[in-house]
Amino acid sequence: MVSAKSPPHPAEAALFVANGERAHWHDQTLWFVRSKRDRAAGTIPEWEELRTNASRIKQYTLAHLAELLEQFEENAKKNGAIVHWARDAAEHNEIVLRLLQEHGAKKIVKSKSMLTEECHLNPFLERNGIEVVDTDLGEWIVQLRKEPPSHIVMPAIHTKREEIGELFHEHIGTEKGATDPLYLTRAARKELRQRFLKADAGLTGVNFAIAETGGFVVCTNEGNADLGTSLPKLHIACMGIEKLIPKANDLSVFLRLLARSATGQPITTYSTHFHGPREPGCELHIVLVDNGRSDILATDEFRRSLNCIRCGACMNTCPVYRRSGGHSYHNTVPGPIGSILGASADPAKHYSLPHACSLCGSCSDVCPVKIDLHSQLYTWRNKLVLKNLLPETKKAGMKLAATIFGNPWLFRLLGRMGRFWMPKLPRFLVYNPLNPWGRQRELPEMPKQSFRERYAALRASQPPTEPPAGAPPARGHHH
Ligand code: SF4
């Protein structure tokens, strides 16, 4: 696919860190969530076993995806649901619009669904005269701010309560200057209640769909999916095809992992099971969406990224995400998993994302479904080179480094020159816009000797010693 490039991540991150206070606060807030996750995981002795099980169940599912999806469809139909298949975002949006139009629905309430964000459903429906209200509090805040979510679990984590107070004052008439979270939340609840009552249809995402039963589970902390599907007669549930699990028994493994990994809670407040339409006269539609997932499934290196249960733990722990904010990624899903999914969907557009990573591996350590996130990001970097998608500056730098490291005499010569000249050069020659590394860092003091010189000098100054008593015999030594 050929498309315009997103703005490079470092440039967007620079905008975010320009407000030092906010960047620091963002970093601390996410670290707090990460610490809560650690404590919650620590209360379960079999945590690692759960992760292994979850990963195996997902691998099994992906290996049998076609059959399991058909099994799901069959069982969902038996439950009275109507199943639709969408090849891509456009088809998904068309299906949803057609269903709404067929039912004469003009106003819909939606609970949080990253899939509908990925398909840009809201603007599409609005262009077609449908009013969409996001009913998850964080999601509603970003909707009012006309922004995309910056995190997949906490969509408005980049906003401060002062800003939310201001926003609510403007949109729903709360008192000017009010910042009390309880007051603001109550005001939002009152406002959203009216939207629920007036809605013609409820739209939800799907956290887990169960092939064996044809049912699915939606997890929210606010009960907004429940309210949104209890009042209107039409419920449309949109799910990516990777949301499937084979059996109802598998569910407990994922429910135990999801909430603890996401927010450090033992369980999500509402885990609602749907099996068919609510009552006679109501309709339940399930839209199964591919949108590039089969292409990822067909790759050996990135298949496991489809294990993702969208808990957000990899974002909370990522030193790059915490310090650059979700919007800097320009992708529906940000952070480590978002960088993999973005690059897989459109490498030319998201060429900078696999580099937004320190390769520290913390994401892979916390991921509840054991995705080898940092290895996949590293693999993506290799792929970008092969696809000729490295920026020219990086290419030139890499070529230069390869020449220096490939020629020992040149390496030694440059080292010697550097040690001699660096301390004598005027500062602007070292710390300037051509050296972004030096923007926040200082080079260490130049040593007098290189490691090789020191090593050779040490060897020369020390007489050969006898090995200490009890040391293993040197190779070739006979007794
Ligand atoms: S990749 Fe793992 S840690 Fe990141 S959101 Fe998905 S399940 Fe959670």
Side-chain angles (χ1 to χ4, degrees):
M1 196 195 294
V2 180
S3 58
K5 289 184 174 181
S6 285
H9 181 270
E12 294 294 294
L15 296 178
F16 184 81
V17 292
N19 182 340
E21 195 206 336
R22 181 191 296 266
H24 181 66
W25 165 83
H26 188 265
D27 176 25
Q28 299 284 303
T29 309
L30 286 155
W31 187 251
F32 172 77
V33 183
R34 152 80 212 263
S35 314
K36 260 179 86 185
R37 172 254 168 229
D38 289 351
R39 283 195 296 277
T43 60
I44 306 222
E46 67 275 24
W47 183 256
E48 287 307 314
E49 229 171 283
L50 275 181
R51 289 179 74 211
T52 307
N53 277 346
S55 164
R56 285 199 188 133
I57 296 168
K58 279 287 182 188
Q59 308 252 35
Y60 175 87
T61 311
L62 293 173
H64 300 84
L65 193 59
E67 326 138 42
L68 288 171
L69 280 169
E70 280 172 16
Q71 193 191 352
F72 173 75
E73 181 186 28
E74 199 184 310
N75 289 326
K77 280 181 177 164
K78 277 189 204 148
N79 294 337
I82 301 159
V83 179
H84 310 262
W85 299 82
R87 215 165 305 154
D88 53 26
E91 267 189 29
H92 162 264
N93 293 352
E94 288 294 344
I95 292 170
V96 174
L97 177 66
R98 181 170 49 75
L99 288 173
L100 295 174
Q101 285 171 340
E102 279 170 9
H103 289 78
K106 286 270 171 222
K107 293 177 183 204
I108 68 165
V109 282
K110 189 161 131 278
S111 74
K112 187 147 68 63
S113 148
M114 291 320 289
L115 175 72
T116 57
E117 292 288 340
E118 173 187 323
C119 297
H120 303 291
L121 179 69
N122 284 16
F124 174 79
L125 291 181
E126 281 158 9
R127 279 199 302 277
N128 285 282
I130 307 234
E131 181 192 301
V132 191
V133 178
D134 277 307
T135 56
D136 171 273
L137 181 56
E139 193 86 1
W140 191 51
I141 292 169
V142 293
Q143 191 187 23
L144 291 177
R145 286 169 63 96
K146 298 191 172 36
E147 281 175 345
S150 72
H151 188 285
I152 58 174
V153 173
M154 301 167 281
I157 195 70
H158 59 291
T159 52
K160 298 185 91 168
R161 64 164 97 152
E162 292 76 17
E163 291 166 322
I164 296 166
E166 199 49 45
L167 185 77
F168 281 8
H169 172 66
E170 201 181 301
H171 287 270
I172 58 172
T174 51
E175 280 169 39
K176 190 159 179 56
T179 57
D180 175 31
L182 194 63
Y183 167 75
L184 294 173
T185 311
R186 286 204 171 134
R189 182 166 70 170
K190 209 166 140 205
E191 179 69 23
L192 286 170
R193 224 10 85 94
Q194 294 308 313
R195 311 293 180 104
F196 281 119
L197 288 169
K198 287 184 198 141
D200 306 314
L203 225 121
T204 67
V206 168
N207 287 90
F208 305 101
I210 303 145
E212 179 190 39
T213 66
F216 62 91
V217 177
V218 179
C219 305
T220 73
N221 272 329
E222 296 164 25
N224 53 319
D226 307 72
L227 207 48
T229 54
S230 302
L231 299 172
K233 286 196 182 317
L234 175 62
H235 173 187
I236 306 174
C238 306
M239 64 174 264
I241 51 173
E242 85 286 13
K243 291 285 168 209
L244 209 62
I245 55 174
K247 295 190 184 309
N249 247 347
D250 302 328
L251 196 58
S252 60
V253 175
F254 292 96
L255 289 180
R256 292 179 81 194
L257 287 167
L258 176 63
R260 287 184 174 89
S261 301
T263 53
Q265 291 164 266
I267 187 106
T268 315
T269 316
Y270 299 88
S271 299
T272 308
H273 299 241
F274 293 93
H275 292 95
R278 195 173 71 236
E279 54 195 29
C282 293
E283 280 183 26
L284 170 64
H285 293 261
I286 304 168
V287 190
L288 294 163
V289 187
D290 186 322
N291 205 29
R293 286 159 176 78
S294 302
D295 296 336
I296 299 182
L297 187 64
T299 63
D300 284 332
E301 310 95 316
F302 308 114
R303 182 174 305 130
R304 276 166 74 185
S305 64
L306 295 174
N307 283 9
C308 179
I309 57 171
R310 302 286 192 268
C311 72
C314 57
M315 283 149 228
N316 305 340
T317 201
C318 176
V320 177
Y321 174 89
R322 279 190 278 120
R323 290 173 179 84
S324 61
H327 288 155
S328 61
Y329 290 79
H330 281 276
N331 193 36
T332 307
V333 180
I337 183 68
S339 301
I340 295 167
L341 296 175
S344 301
D346 191 341
K349 181 172 179 195
H350 299 293
Y351 72 99
S352 73
L353 294 188
H355 296 281
C357 168
S358 67
L359 294 178
C360 70
S362 182
C363 46
S364 309
D365 285 345
V366 297
C367 176
V369 284
K370 284 201 165 172
I371 303 175
D372 49 342
L373 291 152
H374 71 292
S375 317
Q376 292 194 20
L377 285 166
Y378 182 65
T379 308
W380 255 118
R381 291 189 189 178
N382 295 339
K383 289 226 165 226
L384 290 175
V385 176
L386 298 176
K387 286 177 187 289
N388 199 18
L389 285 170
L390 271 199
E392 290 305 322
T393 44
K394 208 163 232 159
K395 253 194 253 170
M398 288 294 155
K399 272 213 182 101
L400 189 66
T403 313
I404 296 171
F405 292 137
N407 289 294
W409 64 268
L410 186 60
F411 180 80
R412 276 199 294 273
L413 176 73
L414 289 173
R416 210 169 299 144
M417 283 168 65
R419 281 192 300 283
F420 180 78
W421 281 109
M422 277 299 196
K424 300 182 179 58
L425 289 177
R427 200 176 156 80
F428 75 90
L429 274 183
V430 184
Y431 299 96
N432 57 37
L434 289 177
N435 175 15
W437 187 91
R439 242 176 253 156
Q440 274 113 1
R441 306 175 183 89
E442 290 282 327
L443 283 169
E445 206 180 302
M446 288 293 145
K448 301 238 163 348
Q449 290 171 306
S450 73
F451 172 78
R452 284 158 163 273
E453 288 165 356
R454 248 189 100 191
Y455 186 73
L458 263 173
R459 287 288 299 249
S461 69
Q462 281 170 2
T465 47
E466 284 294 312
R475 203 178 284 178
H477 191 99
H478 297 283
H479 284 281

Tab-separated table of all heavy atoms in Angstrom, residues 419-446:
chain	number	residue	atom	x	y	z
A	419	ARG	N	39.932	11.488	20.874
A	419	ARG	CA	40.433	11.703	22.230
A	419	ARG	C	41.269	12.971	22.307
A	419	ARG	O	41.252	13.692	23.286
A	419	ARG	CB	41.253	10.497	22.694
A	419	ARG	CG	40.402	9.323	23.144
A	419	ARG	CD	41.228	8.274	23.867
A	419	ARG	NE	42.292	7.721	23.034
A	419	ARG	CZ	42.095	6.808	22.066
A	419	ARG	NH1	40.880	6.362	21.834
A	419	ARG	NH2	43.108	6.353	21.357
A	420	PHE	N	41.985	13.257	21.234
A	420	PHE	CA	42.857	14.439	21.240
A	420	PHE	C	42.055	15.734	21.014
A	420	PHE	O	42.213	16.710	21.730
A	420	PHE	CB	43.941	14.281	20.163
A	420	PHE	CG	44.866	15.461	20.106
A	420	PHE	CD1	45.884	15.595	21.057
A	420	PHE	CD2	44.722	16.439	19.121
A	420	PHE	CE1	46.731	16.683	21.023
A	420	PHE	CE2	45.579	17.539	19.080
A	420	PHE	CZ	46.585	17.658	20.037
A	421	TRP	N	41.157	15.688	20.023
A	421	TRP	CA	40.518	16.948	19.607
A	421	TRP	C	39.262	17.309	20.398
A	421	TRP	O	38.993	18.504	20.605
A	421	TRP	CB	40.136	16.875	18.120
A	421	TRP	CG	41.327	17.124	17.232
A	421	TRP	CD1	41.979	16.217	16.463
A	421	TRP	CD2	42.024	18.356	17.079
A	421	TRP	NE1	43.031	16.780	15.825
A	421	TRP	CE2	43.094	18.123	16.182
A	421	TRP	CE3	41.879	19.654	17.615
A	421	TRP	CZ2	43.984	19.101	15.800
A	421	TRP	CZ3	42.767	20.636	17.223
A	421	TRP	CH2	43.808	20.360	16.332
A	422	MET	N	38.488	16.310	20.805
A	422	MET	CA	37.201	16.605	21.450
A	422	MET	C	37.309	17.644	22.570
A	422	MET	O	36.558	18.609	22.598
A	422	MET	CB	36.554	15.337	22.004
A	422	MET	CG	35.788	14.552	20.984
A	422	MET	SD	34.439	15.498	20.297
A	422	MET	CE	33.529	14.196	19.583
A	423	PRO	N	38.244	17.468	23.520
A	423	PRO	CA	38.291	18.442	24.620
A	423	PRO	C	38.684	19.839	24.153
A	423	PRO	O	38.439	20.818	24.847
A	423	PRO	CB	39.356	17.870	25.565
A	423	PRO	CG	39.622	16.479	25.088
A	423	PRO	CD	39.247	16.430	23.644
A	424	LYS	N	39.325	19.925	22.964
A	424	LYS	CA	39.813	21.234	22.521
A	424	LYS	C	38.832	21.967	21.620
A	424	LYS	O	38.963	23.164	21.394
A	424	LYS	CB	41.128	21.046	21.746
A	424	LYS	CG	42.212	20.407	22.596
A	424	LYS	CD	43.502	20.279	21.820
A	424	LYS	CE	44.604	19.655	22.656
A	424	LYS	NZ	44.287	18.311	23.198
A	425	LEU	N	37.834	21.236	21.094
A	425	LEU	CA	36.913	21.865	20.132
A	425	LEU	C	35.981	22.860	20.826
A	425	LEU	O	35.584	22.642	21.970
A	425	LEU	CB	36.049	20.792	19.458
A	425	LEU	CG	36.736	19.872	18.455
A	425	LEU	CD1	35.751	18.830	17.951
A	425	LEU	CD2	37.304	20.671	17.288
A	426	PRO	N	35.623	23.961	20.126
A	426	PRO	CA	34.618	24.856	20.713
A	426	PRO	C	33.277	24.110	20.844
A	426	PRO	O	32.971	23.238	20.020
A	426	PRO	CB	34.509	25.996	19.706
A	426	PRO	CG	35.202	25.542	18.477
A	426	PRO	CD	36.102	24.406	18.824
A	427	ARG	N	32.508	24.458	21.850
A	427	ARG	CA	31.286	23.720	22.182
A	427	ARG	C	30.295	23.600	21.011
A	427	ARG	O	29.713	22.553	20.782
A	427	ARG	CB	30.620	24.424	23.378
A	427	ARG	CG	29.671	23.507	24.094
A	427	ARG	CD	29.062	24.110	25.323
A	427	ARG	NE	27.813	23.401	25.565
A	427	ARG	CZ	27.731	22.211	26.143
A	427	ARG	NH1	28.812	21.610	26.588
A	427	ARG	NH2	26.568	21.615	26.296
A	428	PHE	N	30.164	24.676	20.244
A	428	PHE	CA	29.145	24.653	19.178
A	428	PHE	C	29.459	23.647	18.071
A	428	PHE	O	28.596	23.234	17.327
A	428	PHE	CB	28.937	26.064	18.587
A	428	PHE	CG	30.045	26.514	17.675
A	428	PHE	CD1	29.993	26.252	16.315
A	428	PHE	CD2	31.143	27.191	18.181
A	428	PHE	CE1	31.011	26.656	15.464
A	428	PHE	CE2	32.164	27.596	17.347
A	428	PHE	CZ	32.109	27.329	15.990
A	429	LEU	N	30.717	23.229	17.995
A	429	LEU	CA	31.054	22.237	16.976
A	429	LEU	C	30.594	20.834	17.377
A	429	LEU	O	30.394	19.967	16.538
A	429	LEU	CB	32.559	22.227	16.721
A	429	LEU	CG	33.062	23.238	15.705
A	429	LEU	CD1	34.565	23.081	15.496
A	429	LEU	CD2	32.341	23.096	14.365
A	430	VAL	N	30.418	20.605	18.684
A	430	VAL	CA	29.975	19.289	19.157
A	430	VAL	C	28.470	19.296	19.427
A	430	VAL	O	27.744	18.398	19.004
A	430	VAL	CB	30.750	18.896	20.436
A	430	VAL	CG1	30.354	17.480	20.875
A	430	VAL	CG2	32.249	18.982	20.201
A	431	TYR	N	28.009	20.326	20.125
A	431	TYR	CA	26.575	20.390	20.474
A	431	TYR	C	25.869	21.381	19.563
A	431	TYR	O	25.897	22.582	19.782
A	431	TYR	CB	26.402	20.794	21.946
A	431	TYR	CG	27.053	19.797	22.870
A	431	TYR	CD1	28.340	20.006	23.354
A	431	TYR	CD2	26.383	18.625	23.221
A	431	TYR	CE1	28.944	19.078	24.182
A	431	TYR	CE2	26.987	17.677	24.037
A	431	TYR	CZ	28.266	17.914	24.513
A	431	TYR	OH	28.864	16.975	25.312
A	432	ASN	N	25.304	20.865	18.500
A	432	ASN	CA	24.603	21.707	17.526
A	432	ASN	C	23.433	20.910	16.949
A	432	ASN	O	23.265	19.731	17.280
A	432	ASN	CB	25.580	22.172	16.443
A	432	ASN	CG	26.242	20.975	15.761
A	432	ASN	OD1	25.596	19.946	15.551
A	432	ASN	ND2	27.520	21.101	15.449
A	433	PRO	N	22.618	21.527	16.110
A	433	PRO	CA	21.430	20.814	15.611
A	433	PRO	C	21.750	19.534	14.844
A	433	PRO	O	20.891	18.687	14.657
A	433	PRO	CB	20.763	21.844	14.684
A	433	PRO	CG	21.249	23.154	15.169
A	433	PRO	CD	22.629	22.929	15.686
A	434	LEU	N	22.998	19.383	14.389
A	434	LEU	CA	23.348	18.144	13.675
A	434	LEU	C	23.557	16.979	14.646
A	434	LEU	O	23.720	15.843	14.231
A	434	LEU	CB	24.622	18.351	12.856
A	434	LEU	CG	24.467	19.243	11.635
A	434	LEU	CD1	25.819	19.438	10.952
A	434	LEU	CD2	23.475	18.618	10.648
A	435	ASN	N	23.572	17.288	15.915
A	435	ASN	CA	23.806	16.252	16.916
A	435	ASN	C	22.619	16.176	17.880
A	435	ASN	O	22.684	16.676	19.001
A	435	ASN	CB	25.110	16.570	17.677
A	435	ASN	CG	25.340	15.588	18.819
A	435	ASN	OD1	24.701	14.528	18.890
A	435	ASN	ND2	26.241	15.940	19.719
A	436	PRO	N	21.490	15.572	17.440
A	436	PRO	CA	20.316	15.524	18.319
A	436	PRO	C	20.589	14.754	19.608
A	436	PRO	O	19.976	15.005	20.633
A	436	PRO	CB	19.256	14.807	17.469
A	436	PRO	CG	19.966	14.204	16.324
A	436	PRO	CD	21.264	14.912	16.159
A	437	TRP	N	21.549	13.824	19.558
A	437	TRP	CA	21.910	13.051	20.752
A	437	TRP	C	22.348	13.984	21.894
A	437	TRP	O	22.083	13.733	23.051
A	437	TRP	CB	23.057	12.085	20.392
A	437	TRP	CG	23.400	11.125	21.477
A	437	TRP	CD1	22.886	9.890	21.665
A	437	TRP	CD2	24.355	11.329	22.530
A	437	TRP	NE1	23.445	9.303	22.765
A	437	TRP	CE2	24.356	10.166	23.314
A	437	TRP	CE3	25.204	12.370	22.885
A	437	TRP	CZ2	25.160	10.006	24.433
A	437	TRP	CZ3	26.007	12.221	24.008
A	437	TRP	CH2	25.985	11.036	24.764
A	438	GLY	N	23.019	15.063	21.496
A	438	GLY	CA	23.587	15.962	22.496
A	438	GLY	C	22.604	16.970	23.053
A	438	GLY	O	22.959	17.796	23.890
A	439	ARG	N	21.356	16.895	22.595
A	439	ARG	CA	20.391	17.889	23.050
A	439	ARG	C	20.137	17.793	24.554
A	439	ARG	O	20.008	18.794	25.229
A	439	ARG	CB	19.073	17.707	22.298
A	439	ARG	CG	18.711	18.924	21.480
A	439	ARG	CD	17.469	18.683	20.671
A	439	ARG	NE	17.796	18.526	19.264
A	439	ARG	CZ	17.036	17.881	18.387
A	439	ARG	NH1	15.918	17.312	18.775
A	439	ARG	NH2	17.396	17.795	17.138
A	440	GLN	N	20.038	16.569	25.037
A	440	GLN	CA	19.791	16.409	26.470
A	440	GLN	C	20.953	15.739	27.189
A	440	GLN	O	20.840	15.379	28.336
A	440	GLN	CB	18.533	15.575	26.704
A	440	GLN	CG	17.262	16.371	26.702
A	440	GLN	CD	16.404	15.991	25.513
A	440	GLN	OE1	16.768	15.132	24.729
A	440	GLN	NE2	15.273	16.642	25.365
A	441	ARG	N	22.060	15.525	26.478
A	441	ARG	CA	23.128	14.762	27.105
A	441	ARG	C	24.470	15.460	26.913
A	441	ARG	O	24.652	16.233	25.987
A	441	ARG	CB	23.244	13.372	26.498
A	441	ARG	CG	21.985	12.554	26.475
A	441	ARG	CD	22.312	11.280	25.720
A	441	ARG	NE	21.194	10.406	25.543
A	441	ARG	CZ	20.363	10.462	24.507
A	441	ARG	NH1	20.506	11.388	23.586
A	441	ARG	NH2	19.388	9.589	24.400
A	442	GLU	N	25.386	15.118	27.804
A	442	GLU	CA	26.759	15.585	27.667
A	442	GLU	C	27.632	14.361	27.418
A	442	GLU	O	27.387	13.296	27.999
A	442	GLU	CB	27.216	16.240	28.981
A	442	GLU	CG	26.551	17.564	29.289
A	442	GLU	CD	27.142	18.725	28.475
A	442	GLU	OE1	28.348	18.700	28.191
A	442	GLU	OE2	26.363	19.634	28.113
A	443	LEU	N	28.612	14.530	26.573
A	443	LEU	CA	29.559	13.434	26.386
A	443	LEU	C	30.382	13.269	27.663
A	443	LEU	O	30.668	14.253	28.347
A	443	LEU	CB	30.513	13.760	25.230
A	443	LEU	CG	29.970	13.595	23.827
A	443	LEU	CD1	30.937	14.223	22.832
A	443	LEU	CD2	29.796	12.108	23.515
A	444	PRO	N	30.790	12.052	27.974
A	444	PRO	CA	31.682	11.898	29.142
A	444	PRO	C	33.058	12.471	28.813
A	444	PRO	O	33.379	12.706	27.638
A	444	PRO	CB	31.733	10.375	29.320
A	444	PRO	CG	31.403	9.801	27.982
A	444	PRO	CD	30.493	10.797	27.300
A	445	GLU	N	33.856	12.665	29.838
A	445	GLU	CA	35.208	13.184	29.611
A	445	GLU	C	36.000	12.175	28.787
A	445	GLU	O	35.863	10.963	28.990
A	445	GLU	CB	35.880	13.359	30.979
A	445	GLU	CG	36.962	14.408	30.982
A	445	GLU	CD	37.562	14.514	32.367
A	445	GLU	OE1	36.783	14.796	33.309
A	445	GLU	OE2	38.778	14.276	32.493
A	446	MET	N	36.798	12.681	27.852
A	446	MET	CA	37.558	11.766	26.999
A	446	MET	C	38.652	11.064	27.803
A	446	MET	O	39.404	11.729	28.525
A	446	MET	CB	38.215	12.543	25.846
A	446	MET	CG	37.233	13.002	24.811
A	446	MET	SD	36.540	11.588	23.941
A	446	MET	CE	34.894	12.186	23.674
